[in-house]
Amino acid sequence: MTITKYSANGNDFIIFIAQEKADRSQLAAQLCHRQNGIGADGMVVVLPHQSYDFEWEFYNADGSLADMCGNASRAVAHFAHEKGISTGGKAEFLTGAGVIRATINGLYVISDMPPPRIIERHIEEEGEVWWLLNTGVPHLVAIRENVEDFDIDQMRRLRHKYNANVNICTPKQEELFVRTYERGVEDETLACGTGMVASFVRSHQEGLLNDNVKTTPRSGDELYISLENGVYRFGGKVTKTFVAETID
């Protein structure tokens, strides 16, 4: 089996093509293991589909399934474009969160994200107010003056209490800083697309951000989120790090 490793601003993924759906949870946990496998935050399986360019199965690093991953959507769109699975610099594919449309321009990929759903606007936890949103997967979001104020133990507690990813963000009108603790990885990741979009949604609705902003995750890379005609768009560069053959 040929696998390709991608990094999307520090969020890394294993991607390969398969012809049939299957339970690949154990394989995902094995390949994503940082010491005994390839090492990745998630695994994407590209499957044929009659109506769209392809369908995906997305697995977290622990082998659990997830409906959506913003950075993986950009990485897999580039992968499909390079493999000729999609053409014309565009990709349209089915995820658990619905159909995702992406535009590929060299290494720069923009994904149209699923419409966000605000579940709760006022959750009081440990002295601050959190929003609970679903931007393809559930996210808790708090706004802080400094994203360096990040307590990994607090993030872990809230992740398990609400079964959601946990984000802190600092909006500055034209720029957004975000840090995310991801379920399924069970640690802070260098970037989380759906988490950045969730942070943008709350900050924008509270009047703290413009419609188009530079977004900086823990990796320090520059990404961009915009709201255009009701569509949330998430863009940035991706990197293909290597291609390898697995050994049984």
Side-chain angles (χ1 to χ4, degrees), residues 141-177:
V141 177
I143 295 175
R144 294 182 183 171
E145 292 186 1
N146 190 339
V147 290
E148 295 306 314
D149 181 17
F150 186 92
D151 182 340
I152 193 75
D153 292 327
Q154 180 195 39
M155 302 298 107
R156 188 173 292 115
R157 286 194 300 272
L158 293 174
R159 172 265 181 270
H160 287 289
K161 182 172 182 178
Y162 291 93
N163 191 27
N165 303 281
V166 186
N167 309 265
I168 60 169
C169 67
T170 301
K172 295 186 176 180
Q173 210 63 50
E174 296 183 355
E175 190 166 8
L176 177 66
F177 300 87

Side-chain angles (χ1 to χ4, degrees), residues 87-159:
T87 59
K90 296 185 181 299
E92 189 176 53
F93 56 99
L94 184 63
T95 73
V99 177
I100 299 298
R101 295 172 178 85
T103 303
I104 305 97
N105 184 5
L107 294 175
Y108 196 89
V109 183
I110 301 173
S111 287
D112 290 357
M113 301 293 283
R117 181 166 57 90
I118 299 172
I119 301 168
E120 178 59 61
R121 293 177 185 265
H122 192 99
I123 297 174
E124 292 189 20
E125 285 287 354
E126 304 189 23
E128 61 190 326
V129 174
W130 301 77
W131 281 29
L132 180 61
L133 313 89
N134 190 308
T135 50
V137 289
H139 283 273
L140 281 170
V141 177
I143 295 175
R144 294 182 183 171
E145 292 186 1
N146 190 339
V147 290
E148 295 306 314
D149 181 17
F150 186 92
D151 182 340
I152 193 75
D153 292 327
Q154 180 195 39
M155 302 298 107
R156 188 173 292 115
R157 286 194 300 272
L158 293 174
R159 172 265 181 270

Side-chain angles (χ1 to χ4, degrees), residues 1 22 71 73 84 108 128 140 183-184 186 204 210 227-228 231 237:
M1 180 176 67
N71 284 318
S73 74
Y108 196 89
E128 61 190 326
L140 281 170
R183 65 177 189 175
E186 305 309 331
H204 184 269
N210 297 335
L227 177 59
E228 304 173 28
V231 178
K237 290 184 178 180

Side-chain angles (χ1 to χ4, degrees), residues 56-60 63-69 95-97 136-137 165 183:
W56 86 359
E57 290 175 347
F58 181 82
Y59 294 88
N60 292 312
S64 59
L65 283 166
D67 288 336
M68 180 56 186
C69 175
T95 73
V137 289
N165 303 281
R183 65 177 189 175

Side-chain angles (χ1 to χ4, degrees), residues 81-92:
H81 171 74
E82 189 174 74
K83 294 290 186 183
I85 297 171
S86 62
T87 59
K90 296 185 181 299
E92 189 176 53

Side-chain angles (χ1 to χ4, degrees), residues 1 16 18-31 43 45 47 56-60 62-66:
M1 180 176 67
F16 63 86
Q19 297 305 311
E20 296 181 350
K21 294 183 179 181
D23 181 356
R24 298 180 173 90
S25 299
Q26 186 174 353
L27 177 63
Q30 178 184 358
L31 293 181
M43 185 179 85
V45 184
L47 297 159
W56 86 359
E57 290 175 347
F58 181 82
Y59 294 88
N60 292 312
D62 64 358
S64 59
L65 283 166

